[in-house]
């Protein structure tokens, strides 16, 4: 299992970014995607109470038709060895060409994403994000973001979007965070997806003056707060996802801040490497 195929010239990946024993890269072999699906099952179904199909329950894998076409970002803990147990985090990434092979983006089952499809630039759908319970630290989340930034940087992605979930299916219990998102982070009309008719749950459930912004922000999952820190927006309307026991919002993020941050990091590394080489050349043998 330790053997990996060589990188191709057209490979969608970016190598591996390391942080001590952890690394982030794209899945390169079938068993790695399988391990990511197993991790998703443990988190979504065992831990969060999602409802698996009989086929999913039999295999203890979370899978759908989008997995074959998508790229799968992985966080690995190399201290665990070299097999499936090393995969402790995952994120599914889909570009236009991958969505075309399936016939649509995943988000299109919940939202009218026509404004995003009409965007003049490269778009990327993010989804199926999860991390093993023992690795839910700021460092792991930052490593996932570094992987996304490297992917965005390589493929010149201009816009990211995807469904992000709040726990539970009672929108009244989520009135504060949903209303906070609506009043403070609603996407501009030109980039605003809208929940499909029959699925649309109003997010404007509280007046702005009735919202404790700090408390509402505290109720948001770390992933959504990460999107907001990058200038993210939400679409119009939430959607109840009964299978996953969640309430979904559609996130839209222009990648300027993502790529700028990654570019600064890359430039700093390159500059540090040059400086190190200069110091080594100046030192006596």
């Amino acid at each position: 299992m330790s053997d990996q195929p060589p990188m191709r010239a057209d490979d969608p990946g970016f190598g591996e970014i390391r942080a001590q024993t952890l690394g982030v890269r794209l899945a390169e072999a079938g068993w790695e995607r399988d391990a990511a699906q197993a991790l998703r099952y443990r988190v979504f179904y065992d831990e969060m109470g999602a409802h698996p199909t009989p086929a999913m329950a039999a295999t203890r894998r979370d899978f759908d038709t989008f997995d074959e076409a998508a790229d799968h970002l992985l966080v690995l803990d190399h201290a665990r060895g070299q097999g499936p147990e090393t995969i402790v985090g995952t994120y599914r990434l889909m570009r236009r060409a991958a969505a075309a092979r399936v016939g649509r983006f995943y988000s299109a089952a919940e939202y009218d994403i026509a404004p995003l499809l009409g965007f003049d630039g490269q778009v990327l759908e993010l989804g199926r994000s999860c991390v093993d319970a023992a690795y839910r630290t700021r460092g792991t989340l930052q490593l996932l973001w570094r992987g996304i930034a490297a992917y965005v940087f390589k493929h010149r992605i201009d816009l990211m979007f995807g469904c992000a979930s709040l726990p539970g299916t009672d929108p009244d219990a989520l009135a504060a965070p949903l209303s906070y998102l609506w009043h403070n982070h609603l996407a501009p009309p030109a980039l605003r997806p809208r929940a499909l008719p029959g699925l649309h749950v109003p997010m404007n459930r509280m007046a702005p003056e009735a919202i404790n912004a700090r408390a509402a922000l505290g109720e948001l999952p770390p992933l959504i707060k990460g999107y907001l820190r990058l200038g993210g927006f939400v679409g119009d309307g939430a959607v109840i996802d009964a299978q996953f026991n969640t309430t979904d919002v559609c996130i839209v993020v222009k990648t300027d801040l993502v790529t700028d941050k990654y570019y600064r990091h890359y430039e700093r590394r390159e500059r540090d490497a040059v400086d190190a080489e200069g110091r080594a050349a100046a030192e006596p043998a």
Side-chain angles (χ1 to χ4, degrees):
M1 287 186 177
S2 61
D3 294 335
Q4 298 293 346
M7 295 286 285
R8 310 183 312 272
D10 62 343
D11 196 290
F14 46 82
E16 181 170 349
I17 300 170
R18 292 290 295 266
Q20 298 180 334
T21 67
L22 298 182
V24 63
R25 61 171 172 79
L26 293 187
E28 298 170 341
W31 70 264
E32 293 178 330
R33 185 179 66 195
D34 180 76
Q37 292 171 331
L39 174 62
R40 282 161 32 183
Y41 190 93
R42 293 195 300 274
V43 173
F44 298 147
Y45 299 90
D46 289 345
E47 182 181 339
M48 298 175 60
H51 307 292
T53 65
M56 290 177 182
T59 59
R60 291 189 56 81
R61 300 291 187 274
D62 171 60
F63 60 87
D64 61 22
T65 56
F66 298 93
D67 282 335
E68 289 284 344
D71 290 322
H72 298 266
L73 189 67
L74 306 176
V75 175
L76 306 95
D77 184 355
H78 294 282
R80 284 188 164 197
Q82 296 182 327
E85 68 279 2
T86 62
I87 294 173
V88 299
T90 186
Y91 226 129
R92 187 167 71 185
L93 314 177
M94 286 192 66
R95 289 176 284 154
R96 287 189 197 267
R101 289 196 294 273
V102 181
R104 64 176 176 87
F105 282 105
Y106 176 88
S107 302
E110 295 187 351
Y111 286 87
D112 176 0
I113 58 171
L116 309 180
L117 298 179
F119 179 77
D120 184 20
Q122 296 297 319
V123 300
L124 174 69
E125 183 183 53
L126 307 174
R128 285 301 200 273
S129 169
C130 67
V131 175
D132 183 276
Y135 290 82
R136 288 173 198 162
T137 65
R138 184 176 181 181
T140 305
L141 193 58
Q142 286 178 337
L143 194 59
L144 269 172
W145 275 111
R146 287 176 65 186
I148 291 171
Y151 188 94
V152 164
F153 190 74
K154 174 170 182 175
H155 296 288
R156 302 182 183 277
I157 302 298
D158 301 294
L159 189 75
M160 305 187 302
F161 70 96
C163 294
S165 301
L166 288 80
T169 57
D170 180 359
D172 288 331
L174 297 168
L178 290 177
S179 299
Y180 172 83
L181 290 171
W182 169 269
H183 289 298
N184 295 281
H185 299 282
L186 187 64
L191 293 176
R192 187 183 302 167
R194 179 176 171 82
L196 295 174
L199 300 178
H200 185 281
V201 174
M203 297 173 66
N204 184 14
R205 312 184 79 82
M206 296 173 62
E209 60 272 14
I211 302 170
N212 181 327
R214 183 170 184 175
L217 192 60
E219 289 186 53
L220 293 174
L223 188 63
I224 294 181
K225 286 189 280 192
Y227 289 134
L228 298 183
R229 280 193 291 270
L230 291 169
F233 303 107
V234 296
D236 178 3
V239 173
I240 303 301
D241 189 333
Q243 180 187 358
F244 282 91
N245 195 31
T246 59
T247 298
D248 294 346
V249 294
C250 191
I251 298 286
V252 180
V253 182
K254 297 186 75 173
T255 63
D256 309 55
L257 290 179
V258 179
T259 50
D260 286 351
K261 186 174 182 180
Y262 178 76
Y263 186 74
R264 288 196 300 270
H265 174 76
Y266 177 81
E267 287 275 281
R268 185 168 61 251
R269 288 184 60 189
E270 289 291 297
R271 185 172 60 251
D272 290 348
V274 170
D275 290 346
E277 289 177 2
R279 287 194 300 272
E283 290 172 357

